[in-house]
Amino acid sequence: MKGLTIDYVTLLPALVPVVGLVVVLVADLVDPRLRRTPYAVAALAALGSAVATVPGLALGGGSARQTFCLAARPAAAGRPAGPGLQQVCLWQADALASTLQLAAALSALVCIALAWPSARRSRPADSTREPVEAVLLLAALAGTVVVAASRDVGTWLIALELATLPVIALVALSGRRSAVAGATQLLVTSLVSFALLVLGTALWFTATGSPFLTPDAALSSGGAFAAAGAGAGTTPVVAASVASGLVALATVLVVAGVGFKLSLVPFHAWTPTAYSGSSVPIATFLATVSKVAALAALLVVLRAVAVLGTPAVLSIAILAALSMTLGNVMALRQDDVVRLLAWSTVAQAGWVVMPLVSISALGVGASATYLLTYVVATLVAFAVVAVTLRDQPGDGRRLTAYEGLWQRSPWRAGALALALTSLAGLPPGVIGLVGKITALRPVMAQGWVWLAVIAAANAVIGVAVYLRWFRAVITAPTGAAPATGVPTRDPAAALAAARRRPGLVLGLVLASAVLVVVSVQPDLLLGLLG
């Protein structure tokens, strides 16, 4: 296209996963019997994507890595250039977008490690599963990376769905009835979400006359609408008022559409079903990478409309309050740790969007900070669950399976304790406490006292949610081992199991190391996000 400039180095965070999935497909054609090669390629691609985001982490002062830039088009004789015709770049990755891309890539790397196949194949049909799973994981990662940097409605919509649709297939891949039920619910809600997002972007285009999600397009909305309605005798004041209302309505629809993907109440119904029906690595991917994609998509829109004031903040406040309350109350009733983490996701989603009642740099940064805090802690919790299921396939999802974990595996218990205290916002999970304080700052700055009170009450309830699990970890099993369902493992057998599934241990170590670092030095995370 004439006037279009492309910088392929800037696109590397998205190109590396795409190249990786192509390599997986080619390798599968050459030798379909390979089991670990697809995961090795996927892990290298995720790591390469993470490394490619590093140059964007040090950006400041409003600068961004840009590509797909369109040169300004000369205005026609007697007609000024309309909105969207100025110099604009379809890909803009500033420090915030680069940090979200890095979080998505590292989370995907941990999920790939957790999904690493054992040395033995349980059934012949598994020979076709590895490359399919690796390709779908990389496709969803590529969509997440793109949506964080997209600045036009076409790329934004396609990338967001690319980050969602492969996950639906991943949920259903095991073929279990519960997995199919979860995938079906996720598919239906994704279709509704997509319809809301399309309607929202259509209203955006109607109000602004621009396909770009930028502040300039939002500012020009009144003029664009007035120009479109000039023939019908619409006055500029009326046109500006109508355009402002359309932008506000478009923002509400986008919040609702993204709310499905973030598991916000009342768009959350699919979450516990999909999580419990999925394998643990895929549930981990849903809880981390998919949430990064959803928040990244929401922030693209909210940063564009921030110049217009605070549209749709009341709807965000209500969704946040409902989500954290219902999520915590339901999590208190769960004895299945995967369903507990699913309802935890609903509650934590409320904390993630709560700072966005202040659509400003402070609110956006606080929202991203809390999301990354939640993602790191959740990765560790799911990794511990995956390792426990390796040792106790029958009942590793029950809270009772974690009784006496401190005596049986101190390092695993320590990792889980740090993750749970981070989610609860208690020491030694310092990063969780920092995240909650950071999330409350924009709320108090904007005077949302009732929302801050609800958040404080839910912080207390959240402590009870995670301490139920933590208490099991530090409690010695009562009675004989067979009665508790916690068998005593021979160290040699545990070592043999670890050798069969080294990815589980590697994923847990990687996630735990990141959590320890950000807990000891929370300034590292806060510095990345400004």
Side-chain angles (χ1 to χ4, degrees):
M1 183 183 297
K2 188 176 181 180
L4 179 66
T5 60
I6 302 176
D7 181 2
Y8 291 100
V9 175
T10 302
L11 291 174
L12 277 178
L15 290 178
V16 173
V18 173
V19 172
L21 69 87
V22 172
V23 172
V24 170
L25 292 173
V26 172
D28 185 54
L29 287 175
V30 173
D31 190 352
R33 296 170 298 177
L34 297 175
R35 299 196 66 229
R36 296 184 172 181
T37 300
Y39 290 96
V41 174
L44 289 175
L47 181 60
S49 180
V51 172
T53 65
V54 172
L57 301 179
L59 296 174
S63 58
R65 304 178 73 199
Q66 300 178 337
T67 186
F68 282 109
C69 296
L70 297 168
R73 194 176 78 184
R79 177 174 58 84
L85 298 181
Q86 297 84 10
Q87 173 76 19
V88 66
C89 297
L90 308 186
W91 176 290
Q92 297 183 37
D94 56 6
L96 174 62
S98 297
T99 303
L100 292 176
Q101 291 172 339
L102 175 63
L106 292 180
S107 299
L109 179 60
V110 173
C111 294
I112 291 167
L114 296 180
W116 196 275
S118 62
R120 297 178 297 181
R121 179 176 291 130
S122 58
R123 56 186 184 273
D126 285 347
S127 60
T128 61
R129 178 172 176 173
E130 288 84 4
V132 172
E133 192 168 73
V135 166
L136 292 174
L137 288 169
L138 289 176
L141 173 60
T144 302
V145 170
V146 173
V147 76
S150 59
R151 292 299 182 270
D152 66 288
V153 293
T155 305
W156 182 82
L157 271 175
I158 294 172
L160 185 54
E161 292 311 303
L162 180 61
T164 303
L165 295 179
V167 183
I168 300 174
L170 285 168
V171 172
L173 197 58
S174 66
R176 299 191 305 270
R177 180 176 298 179
S178 58
V180 174
T184 302
Q185 283 197 18
L186 184 53
L187 175 61
V188 172
T189 54
S190 295
L191 292 175
V192 176
S193 169
F194 183 70
L196 291 172
L197 294 173
V198 169
L199 183 57
T201 54
L203 289 175
W204 171 271
F205 185 79
T206 301
T208 65
S210 170
F212 303 116
L213 298 169
T214 60
D216 289 340
L219 286 172
S220 64
S221 57
F225 201 78
T234 304
T235 64
V237 175
V238 173
S241 177
V242 173
S244 177
L246 287 177
V247 170
L249 181 57
T251 306
V252 171
L253 290 173
V254 168
V255 170
V258 175
F260 280 103
K261 304 178 188 300
L262 273 174
S263 300
L264 291 172
V265 174
F267 316 113
H268 68 287
W270 63 271
T271 309
T273 307
Y275 278 41
S276 59
S278 308
S279 63
V280 171
I282 304 308
T284 309
F285 195 91
L286 270 171
T288 55
V289 181
S290 294
K291 297 302 177 282
V292 173
L295 182 66
L298 182 60
L299 293 184
V300 169
V301 175
L302 292 183
R303 295 173 86 182
V305 302
V307 294
L308 301 179
T310 55
V313 292
L314 180 59
S315 61
I316 293 175
I318 293 173
L319 291 177
L322 290 175
S323 298
M324 62 178 66
T325 303
L326 181 62
N328 280 326
V329 170
M330 293 302 296
L332 274 172
R333 304 176 55 189
Q334 306 303 316
D335 290 322
D336 184 312
V337 294
V338 175
R339 294 184 70 89
L340 187 152
L341 287 171
W343 285 109
S344 167
T345 296
V346 176
Q348 300 291 347
W351 280 93
V352 168
V353 300
M354 182 181 67
L356 297 178
V357 295
S358 171
I359 304 181
S360 61
L362 179 62
V364 168
S367 178
T369 299
Y370 196 89
L371 174 74
L372 297 183
T373 300
Y374 153 78
V375 164
V376 177
T378 302
L379 279 174
V380 175
F382 268 112
V384 172
V385 173
V387 176
T388 304
L389 282 172
R390 178 201 66 187
D391 296 341
Q392 300 166 241
D395 55 353
R397 292 193 176 199
R398 312 299 301 177
L399 280 175
T400 53
Y402 296 85
E403 291 181 355
L405 183 62
W406 194 268
Q407 290 86 0
R408 289 181 284 120
S409 181
W411 73 275
R412 199 196 315 169
L416 181 58
L418 185 59
L420 295 176
T421 53
S422 296
L423 290 170
L426 296 173
V430 177
I431 189 61
L433 179 60
V434 171
K436 281 184 165 53
I437 294 174
T438 304
L440 284 169
R441 283 182 60 202
V443 179
M444 296 303 297
Q446 294 294 322
W448 292 83
V449 178
W450 67 268
L451 183 57
V453 170
I454 292 176
N458 275 282
V460 176
I461 301 173
V463 170
V465 169
Y466 301 111
L467 285 187
R468 285 182 65 225
W469 196 351
F470 181 75
R471 183 180 63 181
V473 172
I474 62 176
T475 300
T478 56
T484 63
V486 184
T488 302
R489 286 182 58 84
D490 178 38
L495 181 60
R499 288 174 177 172
R500 288 196 301 269
R501 299 293 301 274
L504 294 179
V505 177
L506 179 61
L508 177 55
V509 169
L510 177 60
S512 300
V514 174
L515 182 57
V516 169
V517 170
V518 296
S519 294
V520 174
Q521 290 289 337
D523 287 346
L524 293 177
L525 181 59
L526 298 176
L528 286 176
L529 296 168

